[in-house]
Amino acid sequence: MQKQQTLLIELGTEELPAKELYNIHLSFCSNILTQLKLYHIPHGSYTTFATPRRIALKIEQMHTTYTDKTIKKKGPSILNSFDVSGNPSCIALKWAQSCKINIKQAIKIKNNQGEWLYYEKKSQTQETYNILPKIIYTSIKHINLKTKMRWDNYNHKFSRPIRNICTLFGEKIISINIFNLYSNRILRHHLSMQSHKIIIQHAEQYPDILFKHSNIIAHFNTRKEKIKKDITYLAKKHNGILKFSNMLLEEITSIVESPTALIGKFNKKFLQLPHEILVHIMSHQQKYLSMYNETKQLIPYFIFVSNVISNSTQHIISGNEKVLHSRFADAEFFFKNDSKKKLEDYLPKLKHVLFHQKLGSLYDKTCRIQTLIKWIAPYTQANINHSIRAAQLSKCDLVTNMVCEFPDIQGTIGMYYALQNKEINEIAIAIKEQYQPKLSNDSLPSHPIACALSIADKIDTLSGIFGIQEYPKNDKDPYALKRAAIGILRILIKYNIPINLKKLIEISVNLYQSINEKQNTINTTLKFIIKKCYSIYKKTEYDKNIVTSVLICNITTPIDIDARIKAISHFKTLTIYQSLISINKRISNILKKNTIKLNRHIDNNLVINIEEKNVVKIILYLESTIPHLILNYKYKEALININQLNIPINIFFNKIIINHDNIHIKINRLTILDKIKKLFLKIADFSVLF
């Protein structure tokens, strides 16, 4: 029976970035499993572990030996391998060299095609222990990292400095040197413990030994569930209700190893501040959880998760309360100080803040947005004067003390200051929602003015940055241009706004005096935004080929694109779909072979047979009706109309010879087919769907 052992690999690090920890440990695990599969090493179940100061993988029932893959190589034919004297040819010798054998070691095999040289190297049993250093080294080096740093005097790169490597195969240390560290059987204690080492004798002891010695819960999801359970219990005990996102819960899980949930309180006077500011400080800056009463009102309590092992929890609570009080006091001071002036009084200060060195100030951007929104507002059915006012005030909060201190709540601060200044609600809300959607699953602006302002802001940024040729590269997108493009598309499609992107970009680009190659900028920006349609529809149930068939037609109005995709997707569910695809395919194949120049119009004098006449009659009808349907985005009706060709065109193919002896009749019949193809192209390129 095959012997089995447990493999343990743990990297001890400085505190890893909370937002990257989960993906780092999954990448590490994936790399190890890929390498084991590559070497055909059987194993049982596996468990991953991740804390701020360690990532680890434990694999059960790994075979202590593995079998190399059998090498089979077919060589050249015998006819090409030897001359008449029986001497090996250059081809045969090169093949033998590639197999690392002497030509005499090759055998001959026969099949239906002839006789060939052949080489087969039988499998060999290897010790798993001997290949594990290579597997571990390769897996660590190829962990997918967003950020990398160097440390010590070596040119090592990792997300954070690696301080320890523990690698065990059963009770045996796997000898490896990486990042100038030798592997061992040592695990690091909790940061607050005086002793820094835990000696692990066998891989099976992990992770229990960590919990026993340091109260460390190494398994990410186990730690996450404990935190969730503890904070829920604590809130309920104090008659409070918690609101938190899974993202925040995962971030908290990523910054603690030994979680202890505690509750603190703050001065009621701070509740007079806008609640979004308080919640932002608690959740985004301090990683605290805010509490609410039954009527969903914020109450002066907060829950936090401590990573400190201590018998004096009151001291920890008091320290966190002081920190939060200081943060709230700063916010209160800034809010009151900012409120002494009207929001529009901050507008001149924008002249001294750069939007971009090559694109002018934020004041310049504000002026461009005002011009843009004047054109956009009628399409979103927004009040033009109110939209211009929202654009004028849109960036004013960026130079307030509050936003300088808490930049992540730009827009929200502007909304509150606008409301204080008695601006109408729609203008105030638009100032807040201009940055939406921030993420792919983020909510969209909620009303017409906000939509218009969001589109204007995003298209101005896209046009400007593309105008100075600072394009996104791979994962590097410092100006969030991909997010801006997707945001524009989502707003236009969701609210059925009939804006032509090409026209919008042309207006935006022409507002920049600093852009020289305007037409190139327009084309590049348009292509970039349209390409992002794939990102939107990729997350839906729509067939990617249908999406491609529409986007390939260079349509520049997003709601037009959306209508076509939905219509073809619906049409695909109907029984007539396949017959129309077959017709389109047959026509395309015929026209592909043609090299003759076709006529612009069908010559009725050359339409001889009744089968031709029936098809031409329907074509003429469709050419007069389809454009009107397309103009109103009625693509389902257009496709149903085109289906009238189904029976007549099949009869046409059965009865009519396309390649007529008379060249003029032949060209006319090919022109008939070309007209049908162009009717389909008015909707999508159906050749993609074959």
Side-chain angles (χ1 to χ4, degrees):
M1 186 176 177
Q2 173 65 264
K3 290 183 179 180
Q4 299 173 349
Q5 271 300 359
T6 300
L7 172 67
L8 170 68
I9 311 162
E10 190 207 69
L11 302 183
T13 67
E14 297 289 330
E15 292 207 9
L16 293 163
K19 292 181 179 179
E20 296 180 39
L21 173 65
Y22 195 77
N23 289 332
I24 289 172
H25 99 288
L26 288 184
S27 175
F28 173 55
C29 170
S30 175
N31 291 350
I32 291 286
L33 296 176
T34 300
Q35 288 290 311
L36 292 176
K37 188 176 181 181
L38 181 68
Y39 287 98
H40 307 279
I41 302 175
H43 60 83
S45 61
Y46 62 89
T47 311
T48 61
F49 305 93
T51 79
R53 301 179 72 233
R54 69 196 77 233
I55 57 171
L57 175 65
K58 180 180 176 181
I59 303 179
E60 311 276 356
Q61 300 172 325
M62 183 176 289
H63 288 201
T64 56
T65 60
Y66 70 99
T67 305
D68 275 346
K69 186 178 179 182
T70 302
I71 299 171
K72 297 178 180 180
K73 288 192 175 184
K74 181 183 173 185
S77 67
I78 297 300
L79 290 174
N80 293 325
S81 298
F82 300 96
D83 59 22
V84 290
S85 303
N87 297 315
S89 66
C90 290
I91 295 173
L93 291 171
K94 282 184 180 179
W95 172 77
Q97 187 179 7
S98 70
C99 296
K100 298 179 181 179
I101 61 168
N102 188 293
I103 193 71
K104 293 179 181 179
Q105 293 176 268
I107 61 173
K108 297 176 182 178
I109 60 165
K110 283 185 179 180
N111 59 23
N112 296 333
Q113 297 174 334
E115 195 173 9
W116 312 81
L117 285 178
Y118 185 77
Y119 170 67
E120 180 174 315
K121 182 182 178 182
K122 298 296 183 182
S123 303
Q124 293 181 351
T125 301
Q126 304 282 357
E127 292 289 331
T128 302
Y129 178 84
N130 294 331
I131 195 64
L132 283 175
K134 183 179 179 181
I135 288 173
I136 295 168
Y137 183 89
T138 303
S139 300
I140 293 173
K141 284 290 186 180
H142 288 89
I143 293 176
N144 187 23
L145 302 169
K146 282 188 177 180
T147 55
K148 295 181 182 181
M149 63 175 292
R150 294 186 179 92
W151 66 96
D152 295 335
N153 295 322
Y154 305 98
N155 198 31
H156 305 315
K157 290 181 183 178
F158 201 70
S159 187
R160 291 294 184 271
I162 295 177
R163 299 305 187 194
N164 185 65
I165 300 175
C166 175
T167 52
L168 295 179
F169 194 50
E171 59 185 15
K172 192 175 181 182
I173 296 172
I174 302 165
S175 182
I176 184 173
N177 181 353
I178 186 169
F179 299 113
N180 209 43
L181 292 169
Y182 288 94
S183 54
N184 54 55
R185 59 174 71 253
I186 297 170
L187 304 175
R188 302 170 83 206
H189 261 297
H190 188 280
L191 192 62
S192 64
M193 303 289 281
Q194 289 183 348
S195 174
H196 294 295
K197 295 179 182 179
I198 300 171
I199 307 299
I200 180 169
Q201 299 298 336
H202 197 287
E204 285 289 351
Q205 294 177 296
Y206 199 90
D208 297 338
I209 194 171
L210 286 173
F211 188 76
K212 178 182 176 182
H213 286 272
S214 290
N215 218 36
I216 292 170
I217 303 173
H219 192 274
F220 188 92
N221 287 333
T222 302
R223 195 165 69 254
K224 178 182 172 182
E225 287 305 311
K226 181 186 186 304
I227 292 170
K228 188 175 181 180
K229 180 181 176 182
D230 290 353
I231 61 177
T232 304
Y233 169 78
L234 203 54
K236 190 175 180 181
K237 184 180 176 181
H238 290 80
N239 300 315
I241 299 168
L242 290 177
K243 288 182 185 178
F244 58 88
S245 65
N246 186 61
M247 188 182 296
L248 177 59
L249 181 60
E250 291 205 345
E251 198 170 349
I252 292 170
T253 306
S254 298
I255 60 179
V256 295
E257 286 192 314
S258 306
T260 303
L262 301 169
I263 191 165
K265 59 183 179 178
F266 59 86
N267 197 314
K268 287 183 180 180
K269 72 170 185 173
F270 293 123
L271 291 174
Q272 296 174 4
L273 287 169
H275 289 180
E276 283 102 330
I277 297 170
L278 301 180
V279 171
H280 174 80
I281 292 171
M282 284 189 279
S283 62
H284 290 273
Q285 293 196 329
Q286 299 304 123
K287 311 305 173 190
Y288 297 163
L289 299 137
S290 48
M291 287 179 62
Y292 301 81
N293 59 23
E294 291 180 353
T295 59
K296 298 181 181 179
Q297 297 296 311
L298 194 66
I299 57 176
Y301 291 91
F302 65 96
I303 290 175
F304 65 99
V305 181
S306 172
N307 191 39
V308 178
I309 301 170
S310 172
N311 295 322
S312 178
T313 56
Q314 190 52 50
H315 176 72
I316 298 169
I317 293 169
S318 177
N320 280 269
E321 285 176 342
K322 287 178 182 177
V323 170
L324 190 60
H325 180 90
S326 177
R327 287 279 186 179
F328 283 174
D330 288 344
E332 182 183 45
F333 172 78
F334 293 138
F335 191 81
K336 288 180 178 178
N337 205 40
D338 288 339
S339 299
K340 292 175 183 178
K341 295 165 64 175
K342 286 191 173 183
L343 187 59
E344 65 182 319
D345 292 339
Y346 289 96
L347 186 60
K349 286 189 175 183
L350 294 176
K351 294 178 181 179
H352 307 293
V353 181
L354 277 178
F355 164 52
H356 190 284
Q357 191 173 5
K358 297 179 181 178
L359 301 173
S361 66
L362 282 176
Y363 183 85
D364 298 325
K365 182 177 178 67
T366 301
C367 293
R368 290 193 300 270
I369 291 174
Q370 285 178 267
T371 304
L372 280 165
I373 208 166
K374 200 183 298 184
W375 184 82
I376 297 168
Y379 288 98
T380 67
Q381 298 181 355
N383 181 289
I384 293 178
N385 291 330
H386 292 166
S387 298
I388 293 170
R389 179 63 172 169
Q392 184 185 31
L393 299 176
S394 62
K395 305 301 176 187
C396 290
D397 69 335
L398 297 181
V399 287
T400 61
N401 290 308
M402 277 294 285
V403 172
C404 289
E405 182 68 17
F406 308 110
D408 289 342
I409 49 175
Q410 59 184 342
T412 299
I413 297 299
M415 177 187 72
Y416 279 106
Y417 291 164
L419 290 172
Q420 277 189 340
N421 300 160
K422 309 300 181 185
E423 299 287 346
I424 66 168
N425 283 350
E426 287 81 1
I427 290 174
I429 293 169
I431 294 170
K432 177 188 176 183
E433 295 183 350
Q434 64 180 299
Y435 302 106
Q436 292 176 209
K438 294 179 180 178
L439 303 172
S440 58
N441 58 348
D442 195 13
S443 57
L444 298 177
S446 60
H447 64 80
I449 297 175
C451 287
L453 184 57
S454 180
I455 293 167
D457 180 43
K458 290 173 174 58
I459 199 64
D460 177 76
T461 300
L462 280 160
S463 300
I465 301 300
F466 270 81
I468 56 174
Q469 300 177 7
E470 293 192 16
Y471 311 122
K473 293 179 182 178
N474 301 322
D475 293 333
K476 294 180 180 179
D477 187 10
Y479 302 103
L481 301 182
K482 295 175 186 176
R483 192 186 306 162
I486 292 171
I488 291 171
L489 291 168
R490 284 184 62 200
I491 293 168
L492 294 178
I493 293 168
K494 173 68 176 178
Y495 293 113
N496 203 35
I497 301 168
I499 285 178
N500 185 311
L501 285 173
K502 187 175 183 182
K503 182 64 178 173
L504 175 65
I505 295 165
E506 284 174 354
I507 293 169
S508 180
V509 169
N510 286 322
L511 290 175
Y512 278 97
Q513 301 300 317
S514 54
I515 295 176
N516 296 321
E517 298 181 13
K518 285 187 164 54
Q519 192 56 52
N520 181 57
T521 301
I522 292 165
N523 295 338
T524 309
T525 309
L526 178 62
K527 186 179 179 181
F528 178 80
I529 298 176
I530 293 296
K531 194 175 179 181
K532 292 298 134 191
C533 282
Y534 286 104
S535 301
I536 293 176
Y537 290 104
K538 189 179 180 181
K539 298 176 182 178
T540 65
E541 73 281 4
Y542 295 112
D543 186 324
K544 65 178 182 180
N545 289 331
I546 291 176
V547 176
T548 302
S549 73
V550 173
L551 293 179
I552 208 171
C553 294
N554 298 319
I555 304 151
T556 57
T557 303
I559 64 167
D560 192 359
I561 293 170
D562 190 63
R564 291 169 193 247
I565 291 170
K566 286 177 178 175
I568 299 170
S569 299
H570 168 74
F571 208 68
K572 191 178 179 181
T573 64
L574 306 179
T575 53
I576 56 176
Y577 173 80
Q578 201 55 53
S579 60
L580 277 184
I581 292 295
S582 298
I583 290 168
N584 202 294
K585 184 177 181 180
R586 190 168 182 180
I587 291 172
S588 294
N589 288 338
I590 292 169
L591 292 174
K592 265 183 197 175
K593 297 173 185 176
N594 174 58
T595 56
I596 306 168
K597 185 178 180 181
L598 303 182
N599 299 327
R600 288 186 63 190
H601 303 288
I602 298 168
D603 187 343
N604 288 320
N605 295 322
L606 296 173
V607 179
I608 304 167
N609 305 83
I610 186 67
E611 293 82 9
E612 285 181 279
K613 290 177 181 179
N614 289 338
V615 170
V616 171
K617 184 180 178 182
I618 295 171
I619 290 172
L620 293 173
Y621 166 75
L622 292 174
E623 284 181 335
S624 64
T625 56
I626 295 296
H628 176 73
L629 293 171
I630 289 174
L631 192 64
N632 293 283
Y633 309 133
K634 294 182 178 180
Y635 294 106
K636 289 181 184 178
E637 293 88 335
L639 286 166
I640 290 168
N641 270 272
I642 290 176
N643 188 55
Q644 293 178 55
L645 281 166
N646 192 359
I647 295 172
I649 196 64
N650 279 312
I651 296 171
F652 175 87
F653 282 133
N654 291 332
K655 299 285 186 179
I656 303 298
I657 298 171
I658 304 296
N659 293 320
H660 197 277
D661 293 337
N662 185 320
I663 188 64
H664 299 294
I665 293 174
K666 177 183 177 179
I667 291 172
N668 201 53
R669 287 175 178 175
L670 288 170
T671 302
I672 290 171
L673 298 183
D674 189 55
K675 289 288 183 183
I676 296 172
K677 183 181 179 181
K678 285 175 179 174
L679 283 170
F680 279 98
L681 283 171
K682 288 182 184 293
I683 299 171
D685 187 346
F686 281 77
S687 66
V688 178
L689 305 175
F690 296 166

